[in-house]
Amino acid sequence: MNNTFYNEILTEHNINPFHKHEIENPNFKLEGINPSCGDDIVLELKVGDDGKIEDGSYVGDGCAISQASADMMLDLVIGKTKEEALRLTDIFLRMIKGNVTEEEKDELEEAGILEDISHMPARVKCAVLGWHTLQTVLEDGEGAVEGKTVSTENE
């Protein structure tokens, strides 16, 4: 991929993140941390009774990769069902491990640009932070869980 295009997308998601704010009355909320470099996000989701993700956001601090990845993830999953979001999460996590087809990567839309992170082991934890947080909150189905966090320490 064109390195300039990759940098432009990361920069855009960091300078003008669309989903970096709090939302009113989220029914799912979970903190994700990356202790190795200090990335810390709180993911908030509003999921309807039909299982569709109606809105989502994140707040927190971290490197450009963690913040851009979380923003791209929310672009992709808002409007999808929990099951669709979990499927896309699985594809993203397999992509980072180098185990995805081109068709699956295409489903990730803009988030597919992070494929080359798999060649940068120190950055993998950054890229997957938001995705692991999303996966955990949707699989646990516990809603807003105060005091519980997800860590990428063992990634």
Side-chain angles (χ1 to χ4, degrees):
M1 179 201 310
N2 180 326
N3 203 22
T4 302
F5 181 64
Y6 169 85
N7 287 332
E8 285 175 7
I9 291 174
L10 282 181
T11 300
E12 180 61 27
H13 279 280
N14 277 280
I15 293 174
N16 300 306
F18 188 75
H19 301 286
K20 191 171 185 175
H21 55 84
E22 292 182 358
I23 58 174
E24 278 191 40
N25 304 315
N27 52 356
F28 288 85
K29 182 176 182 177
L30 185 63
E31 181 177 25
I33 58 170
N34 174 3
S36 65
C37 76
D39 299 327
D40 186 346
I41 67 164
V42 176
L43 179 67
E44 298 180 332
L45 298 175
K46 195 175 289 185
V47 180
D49 293 337
D50 59 357
K52 191 172 279 192
I53 299 170
E54 297 171 354
D55 199 4
S57 69
Y58 70 100
V59 293
D61 297 303
C63 70
I65 292 172
S66 72
Q67 302 296 290
S69 183
D71 205 53
M72 287 186 263
M73 174 193 73
L74 286 164
D75 275 348
L76 190 62
V77 302
I78 293 172
K80 305 275 194 299
T81 65
K82 291 195 300 187
E83 292 76 22
E84 290 169 322
L86 285 168
R87 181 177 173 283
L88 291 166
T89 299
D90 175 65
I91 292 171
F92 183 86
L93 296 174
R94 285 188 296 110
M95 177 189 74
I96 294 298
K97 294 177 180 176
N99 187 19
V100 70
T101 66
E102 278 301 312
E103 292 79 22
E104 289 174 318
K105 182 181 152 193
D106 288 345
E107 289 183 60
L108 296 175
E109 299 173 8
E110 199 173 51
I113 69 154
L114 296 172
E115 180 179 31
D116 288 340
I117 295 294
S118 63
H119 304 297
M120 300 177 251
R123 309 310 285 172
V124 166
K125 292 178 185 181
C126 306
V128 301
L129 177 61
W131 297 84
H132 274 305
T133 306
L134 175 68
Q135 181 180 44
T136 301
V137 78
L138 292 179
E139 285 179 347
D140 285 358
E142 295 179 30
V145 182
E146 295 302 321
K148 182 176 178 180
T149 60
V150 173
S151 174
T152 60
E153 187 168 20
N154 296 322
E155 191 61 36

